[in-house]
Amino acid sequence: MTTRRQFLQTSGTGLMGLGFLQQSSPAQAKEEVVEFRQTTPTEDSLFWEKNGKDLRVALIGTGWYGKSDLFRIIQCGGKHIEVVALCDVNRKILEEAGELVAQRQVSGKVPKLYKDYREMLAKEDLDVCLIGTPDHWHALPMIAACEAGCDVYVQKPIACDVVECQAMFSAARKHNRVVQVGLQRRSTPVLVDAKKKFLDSGSLGKIAYVHTFCDYGQRKQILTPSDPPAELDFDFWTGPAPLRPYYDTYHLRRWRAFMEYGNGTMGDMGVHLFDMVRWFLNLRWPKRITSNGGIFVNQGGTPNIDDTQNTTWEFDDLNVTWEHRHWSEIRDPRYGWGAEIFGTNGTLKANPMQYDYKPRGNHPWLKVDAVTEFDKYPSDETEPGLEVRVAGANRAHMWNFLARIVDRGRPNSDIEEGYISTVCCILANISQHLGGDSLEWDPEKCLVKNNEKANQLLRREYRAPWVHPEP
């Protein structure tokens, strides 16, 4: 009889595994958590190993996830990767990143350091540019990198407003650049396995409802403004966003608590899960988007993102919903955030690190966890701030990016996919801002149908001297 571990580690056995679960009685099959490990190289890593070429790489935004992405491309690209330049408006963080890169890349060289991305792109002969800035600084550097002839890896959400998204998509296509968005669920091995076994196979049956959620997030905070540190050019850091007081918390990743710099929890956590669902179910644009919410509990705090939000994206014969509540307890210890996919034959839960599956009826859950890869990549164990259980997914996403740089195909999370998912999340926020208006998006005209108030919110005002990009 097929064991659960064989079921997980053997390719092409989705229906076999399903049969095993359905035939087992509750007395025969006990609920357990098993590990998923990528036991064979991915097609992209094999392609890169055979066809890899030398690439000159730069990073704009050398903070938390910027360095994480950069270290993954060094791990994946190996001797072919030379990080020649780094850019950040915080001199201390920039210099620290330079030393760390020198320790990790084959050449041992410290990259050239820049404060202004425009100067870097003008002076350096680059093949690849990674963008790991806060969200409000994604659009302008990404477009400039495409114009400079770079292939680009840009973090999610791709932008803060809809017109920025359109301009980024247009720039990538106009300049024929390979652009991978950091929506790495599309490359996550444990989720690729779940998609193949339970969704592509049709095992779940008819799916008419998907629920995505986040039970944790920013709590109420009362912050005290302070002077920016000497090493930070705070005016440049603010860039096109409105100029707010400086808080130390900005450099602890908590700029996400302010709508001036991002799109709230919807744009931070929600876009990952919405994009994952679209990929799972091969969805494009929804017919309607409706959202309600606000600051219902954390009133009087300094952050200004909503602590409560409920959203529905309506597709043909399918509703996808989202909810977040920053103030409640986590209902399922395994899933502080995730997606529940309900089919006529069973239920699938998933998030970036795991999935759980239960066939319909009185059957136990099959619970599957991604694992760390310290044995293959020992530096993961000591890398500060690394999300160790998704490092493998990030590597798979980078190999996919590198392979497409060589063959000039579309990567797993091509800019078009990032464009659709980001815009749909921004439109949810616009619906919420308008008191729950149901929005119908016209992807051809890039307008909301019959709602001029919504259309007036498709672009944000840029702070001078920065100029909003156009499609």
Side-chain angles (χ1 to χ4, degrees):
M1 183 174 68
T2 303
T3 68
R4 293 191 178 200
R5 192 170 299 278
Q6 288 171 334
F7 162 70
L8 291 169
Q9 294 184 343
T10 304
S11 62
T13 60
L15 293 176
M16 232 170 82
L18 178 64
F20 161 65
L21 287 172
Q22 290 177 331
Q23 292 164 16
S24 299
S25 70
Q28 293 172 315
K30 295 181 180 180
E31 184 177 284
E32 61 178 312
V33 179
V34 295
E35 294 180 346
F36 178 90
R37 186 179 295 273
Q38 184 74 33
T39 56
T40 58
T42 66
E43 290 184 9
D44 292 322
S45 66
L46 291 173
F47 181 89
W48 174 257
E49 183 179 354
K50 181 179 179 180
N51 303 289
K53 63 179 184 178
D54 293 346
L55 297 174
R56 292 170 59 85
V57 177
L59 167 66
I60 302 172
T62 60
W64 173 41
Y65 237 84
K67 287 197 295 291
S68 181
D69 289 336
L70 187 66
F71 294 161
R72 303 293 83 73
I73 201 172
I74 292 172
Q75 286 178 333
C76 295
K79 65 181 181 181
H80 292 293
I81 300 299
E82 179 69 18
V83 181
V84 299
L86 300 173
C87 180
D88 202 289
V89 295
N90 187 307
R91 184 179 68 254
K92 181 180 178 181
I93 292 174
L94 179 63
E95 291 173 352
E96 290 173 350
E99 294 299 323
L100 290 171
V101 170
Q103 296 169 18
R104 288 172 175 264
Q105 65 178 349
V106 173
S107 71
K109 295 180 180 179
V110 176
K112 293 181 181 179
L113 306 180
Y114 293 88
K115 185 175 80 170
D116 192 324
Y117 71 91
R118 297 166 297 183
E119 180 185 6
M120 183 189 77
L121 292 172
K123 288 185 176 181
E124 299 294 335
D125 180 19
L126 301 171
D127 301 301
V128 176
C129 186
L130 311 183
I131 298 175
T133 59
D135 299 350
H136 71 288
W137 261 121
H138 285 178
L140 291 178
M142 180 273 185
I143 294 168
C146 288
E147 292 171 346
C150 297
D151 294 319
V152 178
Y153 187 104
V154 60
Q155 264 303 326
K156 62 76 203 172
I158 67 168
C160 278
D161 71 45
V162 171
V163 178
E164 284 182 330
C165 294
Q166 296 167 352
M168 295 167 76
F169 179 43
S170 296
R173 293 295 189 257
K174 176 182 178 180
H175 299 286
N176 194 29
R177 306 325 305 163
V178 174
V179 179
Q180 178 87 297
V181 179
L183 291 165
Q184 63 269 42
R185 306 290 75 80
R186 293 172 179 261
S187 300
T188 301
V190 68
L191 297 180
V192 172
D193 183 72
K195 184 177 190 296
K196 179 173 65 175
K197 283 188 169 79
F198 306 115
L199 298 168
D200 296 347
S201 69
S203 297
L204 279 184
K206 171 68 174 178
I207 297 167
Y209 181 64
V210 177
H211 179 58
T212 62
F213 59 91
C214 179
D215 286 347
Y216 55 75
Q218 299 283 343
R219 304 302 186 189
K220 181 176 178 178
Q221 294 176 297
I222 305 295
L223 303 175
T224 302
S226 62
D227 292 330
E231 64 267 17
L232 172 66
D233 185 336
F234 182 58
D235 186 79
F236 204 155
W237 184 91
T238 300
L243 186 62
R244 289 185 55 94
Y246 174 79
Y247 302 104
D248 287 337
T249 189
Y250 289 159
H251 283 287
L252 297 174
R253 312 172 193 169
R254 294 183 184 137
W255 51 264
R256 294 171 175 83
F258 297 88
M259 291 299 289
E260 289 83 357
Y261 312 130
N263 280 294
T265 306
M266 173 64 73
D268 182 26
M269 311 293 277
V271 70
H272 268 307
L273 297 175
F274 180 69
D275 186 75
M276 180 183 77
V277 171
R278 286 207 314 109
W279 165 62
F280 270 171
L281 302 180
N282 302 310
L283 301 173
R284 294 285 289 174
W285 293 97
K287 297 189 299 182
R288 280 177 297 276
I289 301 170
T290 309
S291 187
N292 290 278
I295 302 177
F296 294 166
V297 176
N298 298 333
Q299 297 173 358
T302 310
N304 59 20
I305 63 172
D306 296 331
D307 62 22
T308 307
Q309 190 169 12
N310 297 84
T311 299
T312 300
W313 295 278
E314 297 178 48
F315 296 87
D316 291 330
D317 300 323
L318 169 68
N319 281 352
V320 178
T321 63
W322 160 264
E323 64 168 327
H324 73 256
R325 301 188 307 277
H326 289 176
W327 40 268
S328 69
E329 67 177 352
I330 296 175
R331 293 165 290 181
D332 184 342
R334 280 178 60 78
Y335 288 93
W337 68 308
E340 298 172 295
I341 301 172
F342 299 95
T344 54
N345 295 337
T347 301
L348 178 68
K349 288 185 179 182
N351 75 8
M353 297 174 288
Q354 63 219 15
Y355 71 78
D356 296 358
Y357 168 73
K358 192 184 87 64
R360 184 169 183 166
N362 189 21
H363 297 282
W365 284 91
L366 171 68
K367 298 184 176 183
V368 184
D369 284 354
V371 297
T372 61
E373 296 181 319
F374 296 154
D375 53 336
K376 295 180 183 179
Y377 304 96
S379 63
D380 283 5
E381 195 164 7
T382 57
E383 183 177 322
L386 177 65
E387 297 177 314
V388 294
R389 284 177 59 199
V390 298
N394 292 343
R395 277 186 283 269
H397 212 43
M398 278 299 175
W399 269 311
N400 176 256
F401 178 48
L402 290 169
R404 301 295 80 78
I405 288 173
V406 174
D407 68 17
R408 309 312 295 170
R410 299 280 190 248
N412 286 346
S413 190
D414 174 61
I415 183 63
E416 184 174 7
E417 303 297 347
Y419 165 61
I420 294 173
S421 292
T422 300
V423 167
C424 288
C425 288
I426 294 173
L427 290 172
N429 283 343
I430 291 174
S431 169
Q432 186 274 326
H433 180 79
L434 294 176
D437 281 7
S438 184
L439 307 182
E440 295 185 53
W441 178 248
D442 186 332
E444 299 299 323
K445 296 181 179 179
C446 297
L447 292 171
V448 178
K449 298 178 182 178
N450 304 315
N451 195 319
E452 188 54 35
K453 288 183 179 179
N455 287 323
Q456 291 175 2
L457 299 175
L458 297 181
R459 77 165 65 224
R460 60 189 176 128
E461 183 178 352
Y462 266 34
R463 187 173 70 101
W466 304 101
V467 178
H468 199 294
E470 300 298 331

